[in-house]
Amino acid sequence: MGTRRAAPPPSPLPPDALICAAPLQRDTPCAGSRLSLDMGKWQEMTKEELEKQYAPSRWSHRMDKEAVIEAHVREVTEGTRRAQATVQTLLHVPYGGSDGEKLDIYLPTDPSGAFPLVLYIHGGYWQFLSKEESGFIAPPLVTQGIAVVAVGYDVAPKGQLDVMVAQVRCSVAFLVQQYSKISGVYLCGHSAGAHLAAMVLSTDWEEYGVTPDIKGAFLVSGVYDLEPITHISVNNLLHMSREVARRNSPILCVTAAKPARKACEVLITVAQHDSPEFHRQSQEYFQALRSAGWRVSLLDIADTDHFDVIEKLSQGGYILTQVILNMISRA
């Protein structure tokens, strides 16, 4: 399938599209489509190379690895503070018994009628960040009548992968049981949060006694095959075995799209300056969903890295914000 280069689209992305969102003056192919062709199998990499591939801060084009993480935490923290100062909120709403099982809810400007809900799942390699820094995406969405919910979950070392996946699934079940005005659920996750959002797509909802109307998922710079993670230092706190990694790898949990799931549109997004392994993971998950009959698109955003690709969701004019609003508006 060819790669198309496009300016930020005023209209929705077509399903099953592979698009590079590049500025008009650029005349280069997507970084992901180019870099992935140069990659060997991760199993053939040295430990040092594998560590580098899965260290997103080492691939930023804007600043060094320590500075980009500090800047990211500052940006999402300040963005959340601004959101809570201007948006009507319900904070620390429990959806379970654990200290980490709480939600921050950002209500739409006019919550009187039915409204779509975007569930945001933070990243941080399953061991960092929290819902306390996750409200930054709310302002451009609530002004368009969309509720935003930042999900808390127990990060490592307290939480392990099976627990985190179950917690995020429970948060979805809780919301659809508690709020009858939801007109559709949209999942949005970044990095490790994209992994957790992808795992929600494979949920057997009969176990939870609900059938959420999940209309879309926005997966940003995610990891969909966890086995490489078991071989690097990120796993020191997670303690994932190969069995746990495979059980919680979205790419191994893809099921054929049933009628309800065909109505769910998935957008997989990757930053130009994500590592080649992150590009490979996004491309392979895209292909797996597409082969199973899902409505799925892949968006490669130029001039972004692993961190500002999500930070910019605080901006109404950002391409990804616009694509999300377009997808929700036409559902």
Side-chain angles (χ1 to χ4, degrees), residues 63-309:
M63 54 190 82
D64 68 38
K65 60 183 181 180
E66 288 82 14
V68 74
I69 293 175
E70 293 173 3
H72 177 64
V73 174
R74 183 170 58 250
E75 183 70 23
V76 296
T77 300
E78 292 176 354
T80 299
R81 189 177 300 119
R82 289 193 298 270
Q84 293 183 358
T86 57
V87 176
Q88 183 181 353
T89 58
L90 299 170
L91 302 179
H92 316 305
V93 177
Y95 67 86
S98 168
D99 288 342
E101 294 176 345
K102 292 183 172 64
L103 309 170
D104 285 347
I105 301 173
Y106 298 78
L107 296 171
T109 304
D110 180 12
S112 58
F115 51 82
L117 183 148
V118 172
L119 193 79
Y120 179 71
I121 309 167
H122 69 83
Y125 256 150
W126 308 279
Q127 54 200 275
F128 185 50
L129 296 176
S130 70
K131 71 176 180 61
E132 311 299 329
E133 304 87 23
S134 299
F136 64 97
I137 77 167
L141 301 181
V142 297
T143 57
Q144 300 301 314
I146 302 165
V148 174
V149 176
V151 182
Y153 56 93
D154 287 319
V155 298
K158 181 178 181 180
Q160 300 302 313
L161 258 296
D162 288 322
V163 171
M164 296 180 217
V165 170
Q167 287 177 326
V168 174
R169 288 169 169 166
C170 284
S171 75
V172 175
F174 170 84
L175 284 165
V176 299
Q177 288 169 331
Q178 295 295 314
Y179 297 97
S180 59
K181 291 183 178 180
I182 297 174
S183 61
V185 175
Y186 297 83
L187 309 170
C188 181
H190 173 237
S191 196
H195 157 265
L196 293 171
M199 288 300 293
V200 172
L201 295 179
S202 67
T203 305
D204 179 358
W205 290 109
E206 290 185 3
E207 297 179 12
Y208 294 83
V210 297
T211 306
D213 183 14
I214 299 178
K215 293 185 175 180
F218 316 111
L219 311 178
V220 184
S221 294
V223 178
Y224 310 106
D225 175 6
L226 298 190
E227 191 169 350
I229 304 298
T230 66
H231 296 272
I232 61 174
S233 58
V234 168
N235 199 38
N236 291 349
L237 282 181
L238 296 170
H239 303 296
M240 274 194 300
S241 65
R242 184 171 184 267
E243 179 185 3
V244 170
R246 291 179 64 83
R247 182 166 65 239
N248 290 289
S249 288
I251 200 165
L252 300 180
C253 300
V254 173
T255 56
K258 299 175 183 178
R261 286 175 171 168
K262 285 183 179 178
C264 174
E265 188 170 352
V266 181
L267 174 66
I268 300 172
T269 301
V270 66
Q272 177 185 358
H273 296 283
D274 267 321
S275 74
E277 270 292 285
F278 273 83
H279 280 272
R280 178 190 66 81
Q281 290 243 6
S282 291
Q283 291 168 341
E284 291 187 359
Y285 188 51
F286 163 76
Q287 293 292 351
L289 287 176
R290 186 168 179 265
S291 297
W294 289 70
R295 299 170 62 207
V296 58
S297 303
L298 177 61
L299 180 65
D300 186 333
I301 303 184
D303 298 327
T304 58
D305 60 32
H306 188 83
F307 304 95
D308 64 350
V309 71

Side-chain angles (χ1 to χ4, degrees), residues 42-56:
W42 68 264
Q43 295 93 334
E44 298 171 359
M45 295 181 190
T46 64
K47 188 175 188 304
E48 290 74 19
E49 179 59 22
L50 199 59
E51 289 278 359
K52 181 180 179 181
Q53 288 292 325
Y54 286 95

Side-chain angles (χ1 to χ4, degrees), residues 5-25:
R5 187 176 69 254
S11 58
L13 295 176
D16 299 335
L18 178 59
I19 294 179
C20 176
L24 287 175
Q25 70 271 20

